[in-house]
Amino acid sequence: MSAHQTFLSAPDLATLIYPALLSAGLVIAMSYLARPRSSTTPRSSSKTLRIVSHDRHAPLFPAPDLHYDLRRVRNPAPATRDTRTGHSAAVRDELLREPRFRALLRAAEEDIRRAMRRLDGDDGSSSGGSRRGNRGGGAMLRVGCLCGSGHHRSVAFAEQLAAIDWPEDWGLEVVHRDLTPDVERQKEKARKKRG
């Protein structure tokens, strides 16, 4: 899976990290990963699935429509955790061996598909409606993934969700709010030190 990395616009950045800035007085760097879709998908989809991984310290703003707390899933082993993030195949493989992680992934996929059908008006309801909030004014389905530091379980969970084959008419955004370039450098340094 290849990813394109850019920076979020100032309004998006502000809305996602505003609580952390207020409480900690810190500026947090963010990455925006967009999974390429098939060539038949319109470039500016009016519906977006936004998956955001984050830590336990500052809630997401705006609040997600669906939220998954991974703190009950066992953390990866310290040797893995100290040198890698949830982007690592080693971390994801270890977590995928955990029954709670797999069960939460299955439940999240079902919840997200159900919410997509509701927003598409395909759930049998008469409202059909959509939650406005996408830059283009279309539907935005926000999914929050929470763990202790926002570096391992929530990142791996968000990446696993992003790898699911979602409907082609939905755009996909993955944001790892607390996985800063500094964190990535620290993990790289720890890997080199352990040799």
Side-chain angles (χ1 to χ4, degrees):
M1 178 174 113
S2 67
H4 173 70
Q5 188 169 3
T6 64
F7 292 98
L8 287 173
S9 68
D12 285 339
L13 187 62
T15 59
L16 288 169
I17 66 168
Y18 179 73
L21 293 174
L22 278 180
S23 65
L26 299 173
V27 176
I28 300 172
M30 296 178 58
S31 66
Y32 161 78
L33 300 174
R35 180 172 60 128
R37 304 291 275 194
S38 75
S39 58
T40 59
T41 301
R43 282 194 166 163
S44 58
S45 177
S46 64
K47 299 178 285 188
T48 303
L49 171 60
R50 174 179 269 182
I51 304 169
V52 181
S53 70
H54 65 101
D55 70 9
R56 69 184 181 275
H57 300 293
L60 293 177
F61 181 81
D65 302 295
L66 301 169
H67 203 239
Y68 300 94
D69 187 340
L70 289 114
R71 291 176 294 176
R72 293 185 131 198
V73 172
R74 188 170 25 151
N75 233 332
T80 306
R81 192 172 64 237
D82 293 346
T83 59
R84 292 176 170 43
T85 69
H87 279 162
S88 164
V91 169
R92 288 195 314 271
D93 290 347
E94 189 173 331
L95 287 168
L96 284 168
R97 288 192 293 273
E98 289 293 323
R100 280 186 176 169
F101 189 83
R102 291 192 315 270
L104 200 52
L105 269 173
R106 283 191 300 275
E109 180 178 1
E110 290 173 16
D111 293 345
I112 293 167
R113 289 192 187 282
R114 188 176 314 110
M116 286 176 159
R117 285 191 301 272
R118 181 180 48 80
L119 291 171
D120 285 340
D122 296 339
D123 65 346
S125 70
S126 58
S127 67
S130 68
R131 176 174 174 166
R132 296 290 170 192
N134 198 357
R135 282 183 280 274
M140 170 77 72
L141 178 57
R142 294 179 180 93
V143 177
C145 310
L146 159 76
C147 73
S149 69
H151 301 163
H152 303 99
R153 293 168 291 181
S154 63
V155 171
F157 192 79
E159 290 295 322
Q160 290 300 125
L161 287 176
I164 293 171
D165 190 24
W166 299 111
E168 287 292 324
D169 60 335
W170 279 79
L172 176 67
E173 296 177 6
V174 177
V175 178
H176 301 299
R177 186 189 73 183
D178 301 301
L179 191 57
T180 65
D182 244 6
V183 170
E184 295 282 7
R185 281 191 293 275
Q186 289 170 358
K187 302 294 182 181
E188 178 68 25
K189 188 176 178 180
R191 277 194 302 277
K192 287 179 181 176
K193 188 175 181 179
R194 287 190 178 191

